[in-house]
Amino acid sequence: MSENTIIETLNPKNKFIFITGGVVSSLGKGLASASLASLLQSKGYKVRLRKLDPYLNVDPGTMSPYQHGEVYVTDDGTEADLDLGHYERFSGVPAKRTDSITTGKIYQRVIDKERRGDYLGATIQVIPHVTNEIQEFIYSDLSDEDFVLCEIGGTVGDIEGQPYLETIRQVAYDLGKERVMFLHVTLLPYIPTAGELKTKPTQHSVKHLQEYGIQPDMLLCRSQMPIPQNEKRKIALFCNIKEENVITAEDVKSIYQVPIAYSMEGMDKQVCKYFGLDCDQPTDLSKWQNIMKVISNPEGEVQIAVVGKYVQLLEAYKSLNEALVHGGIANHHKVKIKWIDAEDLENGNPSDYLSDVSAILVPGGFGSRGTDGKMIAIRYARENKLPFFGICFGMQLAVIETMRNVVGVKNAGTTEIHEGCEPVVGLMTEWDKEGAKQVRHKNGDLGGTMRLGAYEAVLKPESLVRQIYGTETISERHRHRYEVNMKYEKDLNSAGMFIAATSPDGKLPEIAEIRNHPWFVGVQFHPELKSKPFAPHPLFVSFVKAAIDKGRLL
Ligand code: GLN
């Protein structure tokens, strides 16, 4: 398909902002994109956020959380980069399959087309075939958005990133600079011996972009301190950018302060000015300011343990961390998370680690490492009546723990890791999605084959979760391959554990609760993925409240 045909179908309102990163990785481009989007929303514009990841994996679903942090899951079942989580939390716009692309996906499409003969005998090349495919992605599934913000993963200079830079150059060429802005995020390192912020790496990074035919229109400079005006002037001159478009992104204490800080620096105003839009009207920052008020002056503090496997890399639990913060904000409390490596609990006394926490959360996970430690934490919470929240694998292990230690089935386990066990948690091979049967095979591909995305669940009238949600049915996001087998429901009931929610057909358990306990809830889904600072997830609000009520403080 010719790109021009796609361009003709675009809404003339659509303007594109491409966000690239330079100098080093981990500059917070995702947060920068999410913050800018939210500021533009506050000015009344409709936004969409997209991530273009140059790595060769089809999606991050099969990558270790140590490599790539959390895998974010959208309602429509896409396993995507964690930046999509920032986008959703800041803008409230639900991310979709069409908002996330990787080189793996692009090549998969190109090769499929080549095999089908769609290229009519042409030699397939990066330009135009790969770049056309990237363009198609950029233009796809849009309606009347004012701004489409597309973040390019990685750092300028990465070999995998080159086709993306070439593509966005072409987009600007085709649409004209009136509809396209290039925003480059860089770092100004501070050299203590010289007492100076250094601009050279930024200059080099911009030169690099210019080699690809991209002249940035705005620089967002990460810095530990305010950037003196003369340095801004120097950057502007050397990088061929308007001085007022050199924006300082000074380190701040909370990510929820970022939109406020950017707006104070004039970022949203300058973006509007660039596109010839009304830029003098002040941006309403009150929603962010209200949140910051609570974060800066909490009424109290509560410590909650998260017993997991990837606790050395907190990016692996990004949404979880945020959802707990949101639960804290809703209760006007600061949530202090005590990250505990599950394996540590396997050797030693659990109260050495858990006696100073008011609640315990066991998050999702895969594989055997740390499972015994997680089970020790669950038992501790159950026996000591500490609020407990089990998410996905955490829920499955909570059910196994009750089966083993209350029902007395000592070899109860999950077929994922416990060979020859009583299969309380087993491999699902079939389930229903929107009326269509989904079938999985034990030896099938690992990538993209889990029960993924939003599924409905029905809450039992007498359950705690029914009170918490205040609704009869819920829709939550899933990412799992195994499932608690309903045939153990009676045994669980006899031990005080109750299946509080199931899939609409009653076949798959979605939530397990222990009744004779102040707050013990295990959920098969990932509620953390839907929590937002302005709409904290009810389960996290209630869990944090239970922790505060427990009052077992530091
Ligand atoms: N490993 C478990 C499963 O596949 C749990 C997955 C998770 O916690 N996300 O069912």
Side-chain angles (χ1 to χ4, degrees):
M1 189 194 318
S2 134
E3 323 73 78
N4 290 333
T5 336
I6 321 170
I7 291 169
E8 278 157 26
T9 65
L10 275 184
N11 188 319
K13 263 175 102 174
N14 297 157
K15 293 170 277 298
F16 295 83
I17 303 178
F18 292 104
I19 298 105
T20 54
V23 182
V24 290
S25 58
S26 306
L27 282 179
K29 274 187 303 196
L31 266 177
S33 311
S35 301
L36 175 58
S38 139
L39 290 172
L40 293 168
Q41 275 182 320
S42 300
K43 287 192 170 292
Y45 296 112
K46 184 169 173 188
V47 300
R48 186 80 177 264
L49 285 138
R50 298 193 146 162
K51 180 81 194 272
L52 295 83
D53 271 309
Y55 53 69
L56 271 76
N57 304 61
V58 171
D59 61 42
T62 52
M63 274 193 240
S64 158
Y66 284 124
Q67 289 277 316
H68 203 261
E70 162 187 281
V71 175
Y72 193 74
V73 182
T74 58
D75 274 335
D76 62 12
T78 301
E79 294 175 288
D81 188 83
L82 57 79
D83 279 323
L84 268 76
H86 289 311
Y87 302 166
E88 260 200 53
R89 282 188 285 274
F90 276 56
S91 72
V93 180
K96 300 210 275 182
R97 185 180 298 276
T98 44
D99 294 325
S100 163
I101 199 86
T102 65
T103 299
K105 277 202 179 96
I106 293 284
Y107 271 81
Q108 208 169 41
R109 288 180 195 175
V110 169
I111 291 166
D112 284 349
K113 283 186 180 171
E114 186 271 339
R115 291 290 82 184
R116 278 202 308 265
D118 290 0
Y119 295 117
L120 305 175
T123 305
I124 316 301
Q125 294 177 300
V126 171
I127 308 172
H129 300 100
V130 169
T131 49
N132 279 358
E133 205 62 52
I134 301 174
Q135 279 203 39
E136 250 180 67
F137 163 74
I138 292 170
Y139 297 139
S140 68
D141 192 28
L142 293 176
S143 59
D144 58 346
E145 290 83 358
D146 296 289
F147 292 102
V148 184
L149 289 87
C150 297
E151 177 192 347
I152 317 281
T155 309
V156 167
D158 295 346
I159 195 161
E160 294 89 352
Q162 289 177 12
Y164 293 85
L165 297 180
E166 168 58 17
T167 306
I168 63 175
R169 182 196 68 73
Q170 291 178 13
V171 170
Y173 178 82
D174 290 335
L175 295 183
K177 285 306 301 274
E178 321 76 71
R179 288 177 75 184
V180 175
M181 178 181 205
F182 294 125
L183 166 60
H184 190 51
V185 186
T186 74
L187 173 74
L188 297 197
Y190 176 70
I191 308 293
T193 44
E196 275 178 15
L197 286 170
K198 290 293 179 191
T199 65
K200 192 70 87 193
T202 297
Q203 295 177 38
H204 280 300
S205 178
V206 171
K207 284 247 146 57
H208 217 119
L209 272 178
Q210 287 166 341
E211 280 169 30
Y212 292 107
I214 294 172
Q215 167 62 55
D217 304 297
M218 179 176 277
L219 285 181
L220 185 65
C221 306
R222 290 290 309 268
S223 165
Q224 349 176 340
M225 59 186 66
I227 305 173
Q229 201 55 42
N230 60 329
E231 292 299 321
K232 281 192 173 179
R233 202 165 300 135
K234 184 162 130 193
I235 297 169
L237 180 66
F238 284 129
C239 298
N240 204 24
I241 289 173
K242 285 201 176 105
E243 196 176 320
E244 58 274 27
N245 285 0
V246 179
I247 308 285
T248 309
E250 204 182 329
D251 298 349
V252 284
K253 281 208 186 77
S254 159
I255 57 169
Y256 299 116
Q257 206 178 330
V258 174
I260 304 175
Y262 286 0
S263 190
M264 305 297 248
E265 277 287 315
M267 186 193 204
D268 42 336
K269 181 179 172 183
Q270 287 307 124
V271 169
C272 290
K273 198 168 171 185
Y274 174 88
F275 286 107
L277 302 165
D278 173 18
C279 60
D280 291 326
Q281 200 189 336
T283 309
D284 180 11
L285 297 171
S286 54
K287 63 176 189 176
W288 296 106
Q289 280 157 343
N290 291 341
I291 282 188
M292 281 314 298
K293 244 184 242 157
V294 182
I295 292 181
S296 322
N297 306 296
E299 283 165 19
E301 205 171 284
V302 64
Q303 174 148 275
I304 295 178
V306 174
V307 180
K309 177 169 154 185
Y310 313 108
V311 291
Q312 287 82 357
L313 180 79
L314 298 187
E315 290 278 287
Y317 297 115
K318 195 83 224 162
S319 296
L320 182 69
N321 184 78
E322 293 311 314
L324 284 166
V325 172
H326 305 159
I329 294 172
N331 285 288
H332 291 259
H333 269 64
K334 178 182 162 82
V335 173
K336 257 187 90 179
I337 303 176
K338 182 171 181 180
W339 299 98
I340 299 175
D341 188 331
E343 277 181 302
D344 289 345
L345 287 177
E346 289 165 13
N347 327 295
N349 188 345
S351 50
D352 291 350
Y353 295 91
L354 298 168
S355 62
D356 60 352
V357 301
S358 301
I360 296 174
L361 189 152
V362 175
F366 294 83
S368 62
R369 188 169 65 80
T371 38
D372 290 344
K374 290 178 187 174
M375 219 101 79
I376 290 167
I378 295 166
R379 181 173 197 164
Y380 184 91
R382 182 175 55 76
E383 292 181 344
N384 292 284
K385 301 236 182 298
L386 269 188
F388 169 78
F389 198 0
I391 293 181
C392 207
F393 201 36
M395 176 262 201
Q396 297 172 356
L397 293 177
V399 172
I400 294 169
E401 194 278 325
T402 288
M403 281 298 287
R404 283 187 186 176
N405 301 326
V406 188
V407 181
V409 181
K410 287 294 166 211
N411 71 335
T414 164
T415 53
E416 179 180 0
I417 51 175
H418 302 121
E419 222 174 289
C421 67
E422 178 72 29
V424 175
V425 179
L427 187 69
M428 294 178 300
T429 51
E430 274 189 359
W431 66 90
D432 190 74
K433 176 134 195 161
E434 283 150 17
K437 209 148 233 141
Q438 311 279 311
V439 183
R440 297 294 177 263
H441 300 288
K442 200 174 166 69
N443 299 322
D445 279 358
L446 279 184
T449 56
M450 280 186 265
R451 184 174 181 236
L452 285 169
Y455 282 88
E456 270 200 357
V458 182
L459 309 179
K460 302 247 170 86
E462 65 279 25
S463 62
L464 170 68
V465 285
R466 173 79 177 75
Q467 278 174 37
I468 295 173
Y469 277 97
T471 50
E472 222 169 279
T473 54
I474 54 169
S475 168
E476 293 281 6
R477 296 183 191 169
H478 294 69
R479 181 173 186 252
H480 61 118
R481 189 168 279 114
Y482 296 83
E483 183 80 50
V484 173
N485 191 328
M486 278 300 257
K487 86 173 195 215
Y488 298 94
E489 188 178 13
K490 268 210 188 83
D491 292 324
L492 293 168
N493 282 343
S494 70
M497 186 175 260
F498 152 66
I499 303 298
T502 62
S503 53
D505 63 6
K507 287 191 183 149
L508 305 176
E510 291 280 3
I511 305 182
E513 284 178 11
I514 291 184
R515 291 173 170 219
N516 184 22
H517 189 285
W519 209 100
F520 192 106
V521 177
V523 297
Q524 184 55 80
F525 45 83
H526 289 273
E528 72 275 21
L529 300 177
K530 283 179 74 169
S531 188
K532 300 180 185 69
F534 314 111
H537 193 288
L539 287 175
F540 281 90
V541 177
S542 175
F543 174 59
V544 172
K545 178 164 185 322
I548 296 166
D549 291 346
K550 181 76 194 169
R552 189 189 205 201
L553 284 180
L554 321 171

